[in-house]
Amino acid sequence: MMGPVLPDTLQEFTFAGGRGKLHALPRLAELGPVARLPRSLRIVLESLVRNADGQRITAEDVKALVNWPARATRTREIPFVVARIVLQDFTGVPLLVDLAAMRSAAARMGKDPAVIEPLVPVDLVIDHSIQVDFAEVPDALQRNTEIEFRRNAERYEFLKWGRQAFAGFKVVPPGIGIVHQVNLELLAPGLIEKDGLYSPDSLVGTDSHTTMIGGLGVVGWGVGGIEAEAGMLGQPVYFLTPDVVGVHLTGELQAGVTATDLVLTLTELLRKHKVVGKFVEFFGEGAASLAVPDRATISNMAPEYGATIGYFPVDERSCEYLEHTGRLPTQVDAFRRWHMAQELFGMPAVGEIDYSEVLKFDLAGVQPSVAGPRRPQDRIALPRLRETFEHLLQTTYAKHPGSQHRRLVVLGGETGPVAGGGEQAGETAPEPYTRQQETTRENTSTVTEIEMMQNRPTPDVLHHVPSGEFPAARVQLRHGDIVIAAITGCTNTSNPRVMLQAGLLAQKAVTLGLAVRPAIKVSLAPGSRVVSEYLATTGLQKHLDALGFQTVGYGCTTCIGNSGPLEPHLDVAIAEHDLVVASVLSGNRNFEARVHQSVRANFLMSPPLVVAFALAGRIDIDLTSEPIGTTPAGQQVFLRDLWPSDEEVEALLGAARDPAVYRATYEDLGRLSPMWADIPARAGKAYAWDEASTYIQEPPYFEKFGLEVEPPRPPRKARALAIFGDSVTTDHISPAGSIPARSPAGIHLQEHGVSTEDFNSYGSRRGNDRVMVRGTFANVRIKNLMVPGVEGGVTAHQPSGERMSIYDAAMRYHAAGIPLVIFAGQEYGSGSSRDWAAKGTRLLGVRAVISGSFERIHRSNLIGMGVLPCQFAAGTNAQTLAISGRECFDVRLDGPLQPHQSATLVIHRDGFDPVEVPLLVRIDTPIEVEYYNHGGILPYVLRQLLAQ
């Protein structure tokens, strides 16, 4: 029986200055109700029509999506061929390492290494390597950049090799901006043209916040590096047909409410509504009222609310953004006319589209908010922050009693309050503030007084700093004191409105004589050079500078854990007195130990609120009713006194919408990164691996590679490497941040001649599996229930019961030929799309992960590395089964492996009969079956390429 036949969809369209061809989606109406499909699915549909070849993509695939049922059990996969791939350097380096390893494997088999070549354009933006070593000094940017290049010279040489070795691989050098903002402002073409045929931009990226591009009406999301490799080598990105949740936005934001407040509120709502793995599409008059930067802020945090994408349909505001950011008029009009011809232009109204479900959200109900202290979905209304934090001290941080009273404390022999302290009734008016004075709160906790250096150099650069360069200051610390205040990239710095609000608030604060206490490490990391241009043009940067918010770099800094070490005395005091200190940042992630390992409470907020809390100096404050500080004349200053009006912001927005500035900024990237030009580059198709390198090593994935397929065997007589509870993130699993000297990774580096000041970060060493596997599950806040009451990467080796690092235990099991399993609770693997969370798991010898539920990307990555993801039935977990880790385990498939295969966990306890527990294998699609049977995506793709 013949399958469906596709109608002829090729037609012409015209635009200002030209004409072209497109595949017209309205012509698919004879197959089904295409006009009722969500806009995001229609973009995917266009890719299916254009790439239908009867093999990878069939007419049946097209018809199935045209007839997408809004409400149905999802079993069918969609083979989505994306237009391009975007990488950042932390995830991009290991991807390039894998490609180089594939070329080496091909060469060993007598094949041409060049058979491994990207088949779609790949852009890598170097943005994750900059670290805040210097802050609050005028030349912080220059100093941090010099240190960045010194630390990462070997990685950058490798990237330059990749640029010359692979024809479709381009690199945006360091110091330009963060990948998501550069993607919005530069890389996103709107439309792709090839041989006169126009198609919509689409992509996947190796950063989970690739979703930010959805604010421009582009379909794209984050994948692990191993999925991206398959996509760039010609494989479709396979994903399960999604539910699409329509979010009907009504009303308008109230004055003083930011896009950040909106996205934190939506994140809380959508996370509670369980949109994990679904498409979220915004529509309605409220969505139409939002500018693209506001939309992009919302789309950026799709991973935080759990969705695959957060999508805004294309309308005239999308075109305006392209114009403002320097795209050519013909390019913009082609973008407009293409979407019009496809009946995809304009914000949909209620009832136009069939969604799986519709949520209604009134923008007018949003109020100023922050989120924390450990998860981005834990929103706190600004007036409730003080009481919430004090409650957390008494519960989450139970050994730290809450703050009850505040008073001024005189330090250094002078009087006066710090910004953030208000005098109590009956106290005399203070003298002008000096940076040697602090506000403290009376409570039963320890108050520690230390002497620290202002404008702190971090420990690994102390030896570069002339003696006596930094003045000393005496400070006091208590629970709730802020020690890091960072306007950092990604979520917010692409949004001119909130950046201008931050600058205007700083201007008013400086005018009133307020300042930031020296215990706070203050930084500004703009998302692109354009941000610095309009902050300078408007005169606001000088006021941010005056408060310490000097530009420290362009890229992902504090939000990714590159906040740099705190001043050494401060760090020691926090540890010795077990203080719950805080960070405030305008990023999107605040998981435990992510921002800084010494900072336990981390709060996300808008850039202007970051400035405000830096002035207040503490997190346990109600900024809606308490004074933020006091002027030199003794006048109390409140947040309402500093908050800029909408009219003040509107008057300056023109500086952020000048196309000439964008064109001038991006026309010569080399000019903006002169140190990049000085990096030498190796030549050749195959990379010359250096055994002595501590940054780049050939991974072991292809050591025993052959063309014959040997499917992995489910584990038998396995041991539990670890047992985890709920909400274990990829930050807990994958190595990130600084490398402790006494950790297995730190010991390994020292054994290979690397001094502690040259450790750099885990992220910078992702190209070295020998470092990364030692850091897997080594997060200082991870809790393995096999060793109750202990935090960190520790386990109990069985049957000896000996406590040791997870890495050391895994190596002992490996030597004995014993496979391993991991047990976990709900939402296992949430967070960033870290491929090393799966790679490290596999290299430790883990053959199966059994959890209550999985986050989408990590589940896919586990399969991509040949690790079997299995899910407990509802109401069952390691605790209900009384699993202690002393048992042995079998995982038995109940028949040949297929999507949604049932399986059985067999638990063997000494002296007891085996216990059998039903499992669901979370291999959801036929292609995932293929990936797993081949031992992962990389062996699968390599076999496909070498067989041609």
Side-chain angles (χ1 to χ4, degrees):
M1 183 174 179
M2 291 184 62
V5 177
L6 296 181
D8 181 12
T9 57
L10 202 62
Q11 74 175 40
E12 287 193 342
F13 79 111
T14 60
F15 54 90
R19 66 175 55 243
K21 294 181 179 181
L22 54 77
H23 283 280
L25 297 177
R27 291 188 178 181
L28 297 175
E30 63 185 75
L31 298 180
V34 65
R36 301 293 300 179
L37 282 179
R39 295 283 181 85
S40 53
L41 287 187
R42 278 188 256 176
I43 297 297
V44 176
L45 177 63
E46 191 278 342
S47 173
L48 296 187
V49 173
R50 180 167 35 87
N51 292 286
D53 57 6
Q55 298 176 345
R56 296 181 309 166
I57 301 170
T58 66
E60 185 61 43
D61 291 322
V62 174
K63 184 178 180 181
L65 188 53
V66 169
N67 291 279
W68 170 81
R71 299 172 182 86
T73 301
R74 307 300 180 188
T75 59
R76 188 181 185 93
E77 62 185 1
I78 296 175
F80 184 30
V81 177
V82 297
R84 59 192 179 96
I85 306 287
V86 171
L87 316 173
Q88 43 96 332
D89 58 308
F90 269 16
T91 51
V93 165
L95 182 149
L96 188 59
V97 165
D98 290 348
L99 291 181
M102 292 172 78
R103 280 197 167 183
S104 295
R108 286 193 293 268
M109 299 183 72
K111 304 289 186 178
D112 181 2
V115 71
I116 310 298
E117 176 67 41
L119 300 179
V120 299
V122 180
D123 290 291
L124 184 146
V125 181
I126 302 177
D127 68 338
H128 276 50
S129 296
I130 188 75
Q131 183 168 295
V132 188
D133 290 295
F134 284 91
E136 304 172 63
V137 290
D139 59 348
L141 173 62
Q142 177 66 24
R143 293 191 185 200
N144 290 332
T145 302
E146 290 172 352
I147 296 167
E148 173 193 357
F149 273 84
R150 176 177 61 83
R151 286 177 179 149
N152 296 286
E154 191 174 337
R155 295 172 64 240
Y156 293 171
E157 287 179 20
F158 178 64
L159 290 174
K160 274 201 164 181
W161 168 81
R163 190 179 63 172
Q164 66 81 38
F166 297 97
F169 182 76
K170 296 180 181 178
V171 177
V172 176
I176 305 301
I178 192 168
V179 58
H180 314 301
Q181 188 161 350
V182 173
N183 194 21
L184 276 168
E185 296 176 354
L186 174 68
L187 301 178
L191 286 181
I192 308 289
E193 186 274 331
K194 183 178 181 181
D195 299 328
L197 178 66
Y198 286 77
S199 58
D201 183 19
S202 63
L203 68 151
V204 290
T206 56
D207 191 295
S208 55
H209 296 102
T210 301
T211 55
M212 191 171 193
I213 201 67
L216 187 57
V218 175
V219 171
W221 62 84
V223 296
I226 45 187
E227 288 179 282
E229 288 164 351
M232 65 195 288
L233 293 171
Q235 296 296 310
V237 175
Y238 292 90
F239 66 102
L240 198 64
T241 302
D243 287 349
V244 182
V245 177
V247 180
H248 178 205
L249 300 181
T250 64
E252 293 185 357
L253 294 176
Q254 298 182 51
V257 174
T258 68
T260 314
D261 301 321
L262 170 58
V263 73
L264 294 179
T265 307
L266 281 170
T267 297
E268 177 188 44
L269 168 71
L270 293 172
R271 177 60 77 165
K272 288 180 178 177
H273 200 74
K274 300 187 185 302
V275 297
V276 172
K278 301 177 182 181
F279 281 19
V280 170
E281 189 166 302
F282 300 92
F283 69 97
E285 63 276 21
S289 74
L290 297 174
V292 166
D294 295 338
R295 299 175 184 181
T297 304
I298 296 168
S299 296
N300 175 282
M301 290 189 74
E304 278 65 50
Y305 45 84
T308 302
I309 62 171
Y311 183 80
F312 284 84
V314 169
D315 62 1
E316 195 57 40
R317 284 186 176 265
S318 313
C319 298
E320 290 172 358
Y321 182 82
L322 290 174
E323 292 170 354
H324 294 157
T325 51
R327 272 68 168 205
L328 297 176
T330 54
Q331 183 183 7
V332 177
D333 196 57
F335 177 77
R336 179 187 292 111
R337 300 297 172 182
W338 188 95
H339 283 86
M340 286 181 172
Q342 298 283 20
E343 300 178 3
L344 291 173
F345 193 81
M347 191 62 64
V350 175
E352 287 186 17
I353 289 176
D354 295 327
Y355 291 109
S356 303
E357 56 183 322
V358 174
L359 305 177
K360 190 173 182 180
F361 184 87
D362 184 4
L363 300 180
V366 178
Q367 59 181 310
S369 301
V370 304
R374 294 186 294 182
R375 299 191 307 177
Q377 64 263 38
D378 294 335
R379 185 186 67 88
I380 305 167
L382 190 61
R384 297 190 56 207
L385 180 56
R386 173 177 172 170
E387 64 180 89
T388 300
F389 183 77
E390 291 176 349
H391 176 72
L392 287 168
L393 286 180
Q394 298 163 357
T395 54
T396 303
Y397 309 113
K399 58 185 175 181
H400 307 286
S403 171
Q404 302 297 326
H405 181 66
R406 293 160 177 79
R407 67 178 177 85
L408 292 175
V409 172
V410 178
L411 296 179
E414 298 185 29
T415 58
V418 70
E423 61 268 48
Q424 300 295 318
E427 295 190 8
T428 58
E431 297 298 322
Y433 162 69
T434 72
R435 288 177 67 88
Q436 290 181 313
Q437 298 150 5
E438 298 298 319
T439 299
T440 61
R441 277 91 66 205
E442 285 184 348
N443 57 28
T444 58
S445 65
T446 302
V447 182
T448 180
E449 183 173 317
I450 63 170
E451 184 171 289
M452 57 173 284
M453 289 178 287
Q454 295 186 57
N455 303 321
R456 304 151 294 279
T458 58
D460 64 339
V461 294
L462 278 173
H463 59 285
H464 298 289
V465 180
S467 177
E469 179 173 338
F470 295 94
R474 297 192 69 78
V475 300
Q476 285 192 343
L477 288 176
R478 288 185 185 267
H479 301 315
D481 281 349
I482 294 168
V483 296
I484 291 176
I487 301 176
T488 188
C490 202
T491 314
N492 292 285
T493 60
S494 63
N495 192 320
R497 186 176 295 274
V498 293
M499 294 302 295
L500 292 171
Q501 285 175 317
L504 286 166
L505 194 150
Q507 181 183 48
K508 294 183 180 185
V510 171
T511 301
L512 290 171
L514 303 183
V516 176
R517 64 197 297 256
I520 303 176
K521 186 173 186 177
V522 180
S523 63
L524 166 61
S528 81
R529 293 273 182 166
V530 175
V531 178
S532 292
E533 289 293 329
Y534 67 69
L535 287 177
T537 300
T538 57
L540 296 179
Q541 184 62 58
K542 64 182 179 183
H543 301 295
L544 288 164
D545 289 346
L547 294 181
F549 286 96
Q550 278 98 352
T551 298
V552 296
Y554 295 93
C556 189
T557 53
T558 303
C559 192
I560 195 64
N562 283 357
S563 54
L566 296 174
E567 194 276 339
H569 303 88
L570 189 68
D571 212 13
V572 169
I574 294 169
E576 286 184 349
H577 297 278
D578 202 16
L579 294 174
V580 182
V581 293
S583 74
V584 293
L585 65 153
S586 63
N588 47 34
R589 293 280 165 81
N590 58 343
F591 302 133
E592 281 187 306
R594 180 183 178 97
V595 171
H596 191 283
Q597 293 189 352
S598 296
V599 183
R600 304 186 70 179
N602 303 283
F603 293 88
L604 307 179
M605 59 188 64
S606 66
L609 279 182
V610 170
V611 177
F613 275 97
L615 292 166
R618 54 190 175 90
I619 205 67
D620 54 343
I621 183 173
D622 176 5
L623 287 183
T624 64
S625 62
E626 296 181 61
I628 200 171
T630 308
T631 69
Q635 178 184 358
Q636 289 185 336
V637 179
F638 292 83
L639 180 61
R640 59 180 176 268
D641 302 321
L642 302 178
W643 199 266
S645 67
D646 288 350
E647 292 74 19
E648 289 175 301
V649 176
E650 285 291 336
L652 300 178
L653 270 174
R657 295 172 175 170
D658 185 353
V661 172
Y662 287 86
R663 294 188 189 116
T665 299
Y666 288 121
E667 67 181 357
D668 184 5
L669 300 183
R671 172 181 59 84
L672 299 176
S673 187
M675 289 185 230
W676 173 254
D678 296 333
I679 295 287
R682 301 183 186 183
K685 294 181 182 179
Y687 187 70
W689 304 99
D690 180 2
E691 185 63 27
S693 173
T694 58
Y695 278 98
I696 307 297
Q697 286 293 332
E698 182 176 7
Y701 312 135
F702 306 108
E703 285 181 348
K704 298 180 181 179
F705 177 80
L707 294 179
E708 295 297 321
V709 178
E710 296 182 10
R713 296 178 180 178
R716 294 285 190 274
K717 298 182 179 179
R719 290 287 187 178
L721 184 61
I723 302 171
F724 300 120
D726 295 340
S727 298
V728 170
T729 72
T730 50
D731 277 7
H732 289 113
I733 306 167
S734 179
S738 60
I739 303 173
R742 298 176 64 183
S743 68
I747 293 169
H748 171 79
L749 288 173
Q750 291 174 81
E751 289 174 347
H752 286 75
V754 181
S755 59
T756 54
E757 62 265 20
D758 291 326
F759 274 7
N760 210 335
S761 65
Y762 277 117
S764 68
R765 294 188 182 272
R766 284 187 181 180
N768 185 346
D769 63 281
R770 303 168 195 184
V771 171
M772 297 300 286
V773 71
R774 286 169 167 83
T776 304
F777 296 111
N779 185 289
V780 297
R781 296 290 177 232
I782 199 168
K783 298 179 179 68
N784 181 0
L785 301 181
M786 291 173 64
V787 283
V790 176
E791 289 185 331
V794 179
T795 193
H797 175 268
Q798 300 298 337
S800 69
E802 182 182 351
R803 288 191 179 186
M804 61 184 66
S805 74
I806 284 178
Y807 171 78
D808 289 337
M811 293 304 100
R812 185 177 294 187
Y813 287 127
H814 174 74
I818 298 173
L820 300 171
V821 296
I822 293 283
F823 291 99
Q826 299 293 325
E827 297 182 337
Y828 183 73
S830 59
S832 299
S833 55
R834 298 187 186 277
D835 56 334
W836 261 108
K839 288 179 177 177
T841 298
R842 178 65 180 84
L843 293 180
L844 285 172
V846 175
R847 295 296 179 265
V849 175
I850 305 169
S851 74
S853 65
F854 292 91
E855 199 80 350
R856 175 185 64 86
I857 296 176
H858 186 58
R859 181 197 64 81
S860 176
N861 283 346
L862 287 172
I863 297 166
M865 289 307 301
V867 177
L868 192 69
C870 298
Q871 193 164 304
F872 285 119
T876 303
N877 56 39
Q879 288 71 51
T880 62
L881 296 170
I883 295 175
S884 66
R886 293 187 293 272
E887 306 87 349
C888 287
F889 308 93
D890 300 336
V891 176
R892 187 179 66 220
L893 296 180
D894 299 340
L897 183 61
Q898 58 186 344
H900 298 103
Q901 174 71 51
S902 61
T904 301
L905 172 68
V906 183
I907 305 172
H908 300 278
R909 293 186 174 96
D910 289 343
F912 295 89
D913 292 336
V915 175
E916 296 190 353
V917 180
L919 299 175
L920 173 67
V921 176
R922 286 302 313 279
I923 293 181
D924 294 349
T925 65
I927 192 63
E928 289 180 345
V929 173
E930 287 294 307
Y931 290 158
Y932 179 77
N933 283 337
H934 278 260
I937 287 180
L938 300 183
Y940 172 85
V941 172
L942 186 54
R943 289 188 179 105
Q944 301 297 310
L945 293 172
L946 295 182
Q948 294 177 2

